[in-house]
Amino acid sequence: MRFPLTIVFTLALMVGCAQEDATEQDAAPAEAPAGPSLGLRPQGDTEISPDLSQVSDELKQVFDYIDENFDDDVMRLQRWIQQPSISNTGEGIPESAQMVRGFWQELGCEAEVHEVGETEWGAQGNPVVYAHCDEGADRTLLIYWMYDTMPITQPDLWNYPPFAAELVEQPPFPKVLIGRGATNSKGGQMSQYNALRAIKEVHGKLPVNIMVIAEGDEERMSIGLRTFVQNNPELFEGADAMMRRGSQSSSGRGGVNGGASEGCVYIELTTSGAKWGRGPVYGDIHGGRKRAVDSPAWRHIQMLRSIIDDTGNIARVDGFYDNVEPLSEGTIASLKESAAQIDIEVAARNLGVARFISDDPFEYLRMAQYGLSFNLDGIWGGNMYGGGAGAILPSKITSKHNIRYQPVQDGIDIVEKIKAQIDRNGYEDVEMQIIGDVPWRKATLEGPLPKAQLRALEIFNIPHNVPRALRENEQEMMGGAWPAYLFGKAAYLNGPVMPISSAGAGYGAGSHANNEFYVIEGAGQVYGMAGAEKIVATILYNFAGLN
């Protein structure tokens, strides 16, 4: 059933209370009650604006609609943030999948929630939402979303409740939205959706056909999406390109990113008295017994120390750094171009770290984009309560690790080398569990989409470099791990192959951290949410050849 956009699909607006079976009914939806005015300013305190002489009259009408309905757009983001969607715990995941489905059905698209069942490494995958909007256009764009977020690991460090979606002043920005998922990734994604919605309201149809793939497992190594794409490659036939959300940096710079990604494999290591044959075997015991009983926890720490150096930055694993390709001259030149624009102290402060491993901007970028890492994400066992006492001798301790690797390495090969090294070091009893693997993807900036995005950056007067990958058809610099490999690596899983690129306006920060935020009213050289929506609309019209 196709709903008019003035009718609000129930699941897209009601937070956490709709049941899946209710979405299958054909009951007539109710008119949305008029919401309170937030009094938000679409332009905020920005000192830049788009060059309207390069914008078609049709697109100008969309810009006007965005400005006139900006409060509604922000409230739509608030409602989405207020719905928890934590994939690591499962909190709110079914409700969130239905909510995303409701968004796209409200836009007039065919949209379904797909259960994926058990995945490759044994865990149950979270639902995948697939939508298709056939506008009879010449070109089709696939939009990637993730609707899941990270858990709240430090609630006492949040200045506002993480699911309240508070609008607050945060200098230099007059208004930001605080909440889990604000920047990773609901803010940018809602800006995309609001732009499409504005186009439909003003002109009745989109300039391109749209496919949407929205996963609920990105923070769990995209295990459900991997299974879904393997099983349903035909759903992506006809897509000319994939677009992700884009943004500016804190200084206002932007760029076109081609979807290149590092590899990331995630494991758990567990030491237990039962496997070791020493210490507590069936469960934790009183800590006072340590005087006469061995500790699996101390053994685990010693095992970890045997596979990492004293700085925590170099893996002591035979073969860990094998097969790493040397950087090309073009890549080195691109890194130097980017390094020249970085204030290393400001970059560290914006990230919330005291300093980087290297204080040299070039070395920092080289390590950040091409370095290998063996991280300790967390460790637990025994008495995990803050404060107080309670003597415990744990029977088992587990640590989580994500390993970032580069072309042409293989994630599973790396973890096998880690387990072999642990065994050689005398810890054969330590168990390893693979949680998931997201292989790398090389990329070039191909086709009309990156050119449409580059022109949009020029129209919006966003400072940027023309990527060397676009100028000289070189491999693009690597980015963070995400499941790009499912859509752009011809030999992998026989999945769909298409060019991928992203660019945009707006800004947010605090991904995976406390006080995550997305800028609503921009300032200086940084656009707010209205600017982020307008540039999405501009990219679509450019891509369609209509601007």
Side-chain angles (χ1 to χ4, degrees):
M1 180 179 294
R2 185 181 179 118
F3 297 102
L5 290 184
T6 54
I7 305 280
V8 179
F9 188 79
T10 306
L11 284 173
L13 298 181
M14 298 185 66
V15 177
C17 59
Q19 298 298 318
E20 182 173 350
D21 57 354
T23 68
E24 303 301 329
Q25 300 175 3
D26 289 330
E31 289 286 348
S37 172
L38 301 177
L40 296 170
R41 299 174 301 144
Q43 316 313 323
D45 293 336
T46 53
E47 297 169 0
I48 57 172
S49 59
D51 180 358
L52 295 181
S53 69
Q54 299 187 59
V55 174
S56 68
D57 290 340
E58 188 174 356
L59 196 48
K60 287 176 186 175
Q61 294 174 345
V62 175
F63 286 9
D64 290 340
Y65 182 89
I66 289 171
D67 287 343
E68 293 163 4
N69 294 273
F70 187 48
D71 281 7
D72 291 339
D73 287 357
V74 174
M75 285 189 282
R76 195 172 291 110
L77 174 59
Q78 285 181 303
R79 290 189 287 268
W80 197 15
I81 296 293
Q82 288 161 358
Q83 170 59 60
S85 52
I86 302 174
S87 53
N88 279 283
T89 65
E91 181 184 357
I93 287 294
E95 297 87 347
S96 297
Q98 293 295 335
M99 195 172 187
V100 170
R101 176 194 185 217
F103 290 151
W104 296 102
Q105 285 188 326
E106 182 188 356
L107 203 65
C109 309
E110 297 178 1
E112 293 296 335
V113 175
H114 297 264
E115 301 293 338
V116 297
E118 185 174 313
T119 61
E120 194 167 337
W121 287 284
Q124 290 291 314
N126 286 327
V128 168
V129 182
Y130 175 83
H132 186 202
C133 318
D134 186 355
E135 302 288 343
D138 293 334
R139 287 179 173 165
T140 299
L141 194 60
L142 173 62
I143 294 178
Y144 167 84
W145 273 19
M146 53 177 282
Y147 65 82
D148 65 315
T149 70
M150 286 292 288
I152 308 301
T153 55
Q154 296 176 305
D156 54 316
L157 295 183
W158 284 77
N159 296 330
Y160 303 90
F163 297 109
E166 296 277 3
L167 296 172
V168 302
E169 180 181 1
Q170 183 169 296
F173 304 113
K175 285 288 186 295
V176 304
L177 186 151
I178 303 281
R180 175 53 85 223
T183 191
N184 185 20
S185 301
K186 294 179 179 179
Q189 292 170 174
M190 184 54 70
S191 294
Q192 289 179 330
Y193 176 79
N194 286 337
L196 296 173
R197 195 175 189 279
I199 295 170
K200 289 279 281 194
E201 283 283 9
V202 174
H203 298 298
K205 64 183 299 186
L206 302 173
V208 296
N209 307 316
I210 296 292
M211 295 178 185
V212 181
I213 187 72
E215 65 162 317
D217 275 318
E218 201 280 341
E219 304 295 4
R220 297 200 309 159
M221 309 300 292
S222 298
I223 56 176
L225 181 63
R226 178 174 171 130
T227 297
F228 181 78
V229 173
Q230 281 182 282
N231 294 339
N232 301 279
E234 73 283 354
L235 291 178
F236 306 96
E237 293 176 359
D240 296 299
M242 173 186 272
M243 183 174 75
R244 297 173 68 212
R245 60 190 173 88
S247 65
Q248 297 171 267
S249 69
S250 60
S251 67
R253 293 195 65 82
V256 178
N257 181 290
S261 63
E262 65 190 349
C264 178
V265 62
Y266 210 115
I267 61 173
E268 289 183 357
L269 297 173
T270 299
T271 301
S272 66
K275 289 290 185 181
W276 183 22
R278 303 183 70 90
V281 174
Y282 300 108
D284 300 345
I285 64 173
H286 197 292
R289 297 294 183 179
K290 179 64 193 77
R291 291 171 294 187
V293 178
D294 289 311
S295 168
W298 281 123
R299 177 172 175 79
H300 194 84
I301 300 301
Q302 292 162 357
M303 176 274 298
L304 292 178
R305 192 161 186 259
S306 78
I307 57 175
I308 201 77
D309 78 341
D310 290 343
T311 69
N313 299 326
I314 306 296
R316 292 172 169 168
V317 175
D318 289 347
F320 188 85
Y321 298 96
D322 287 354
N323 304 320
V324 176
E325 295 180 329
L327 300 184
S328 69
E329 292 183 4
T331 297
I332 292 172
S334 293
L335 287 172
K336 288 181 176 178
E337 285 180 13
S338 299
Q341 297 155 9
I342 288 181
D343 183 319
I344 201 72
E345 293 184 0
V346 171
R349 185 166 60 250
N350 287 341
L351 190 60
V353 300
R355 61 189 297 178
F356 297 111
I357 295 172
S358 173
D359 294 326
D360 176 73
F362 173 80
E363 281 301 307
Y364 156 65
L365 285 179
R366 184 190 65 78
M367 297 170 76
Q369 296 188 13
Y370 291 94
L372 278 70
S373 65
F374 189 167
N375 189 50
L376 173 59
D377 295 83
I379 188 166
W380 68 93
N383 185 349
M384 297 295 292
Y385 298 98
I392 293 292
L393 176 51
S395 62
K396 181 169 67 173
I397 185 168
T398 298
S399 54
K400 285 180 178 284
H401 306 270
N402 79 81
I403 296 98
R404 307 285 167 146
Y405 61 93
Q406 299 298 326
V408 290
Q409 294 182 301
D410 181 281
I412 303 304
D413 174 65
I414 288 175
V415 298
E416 289 174 350
K417 289 174 178 175
I418 293 170
K419 184 63 172 78
Q421 188 69 56
I422 289 171
D423 291 351
R424 283 195 299 271
N425 293 349
Y427 301 95
E428 297 93 337
D429 55 282
V430 173
E431 298 176 279
M432 174 186 285
Q433 173 68 40
I434 298 175
I435 303 302
D437 180 40
V438 177
W440 48 269
R441 175 184 183 266
K442 289 184 177 182
T444 55
L445 290 168
E446 302 170 326
L449 181 58
K451 294 176 182 177
Q453 292 165 328
L454 189 64
R455 181 163 181 245
L457 293 175
E458 293 167 352
I459 291 171
F460 277 71
N461 292 303
I462 294 174
H464 61 279
N465 293 333
V466 178
R468 187 173 293 270
L470 193 57
R471 289 179 299 189
E472 303 174 16
N473 200 34
E474 286 193 1
Q475 296 287 347
E476 193 206 13
M477 291 196 299
M478 301 304 291
W482 73 284
Y485 74 99
L486 291 172
F487 301 94
K489 193 175 176 184
Y492 199 87
L493 300 179
N494 295 317
V497 180
M498 65 190 72
I500 303 172
S501 58
S502 62
Y507 174 68
S511 174
H512 290 214
N514 52 78
N515 299 312
E516 183 178 355
F517 71 90
Y518 188 70
V519 173
I520 301 302
E521 292 185 358
Q525 303 299 305
V526 176
Y527 284 100
M529 188 173 179
E533 295 175 9
K534 291 174 184 177
I535 200 170
V536 170
T538 303
I539 290 169
L540 262 62
Y541 274 86
N542 290 349
F543 180 62
L546 298 176
N547 182 52

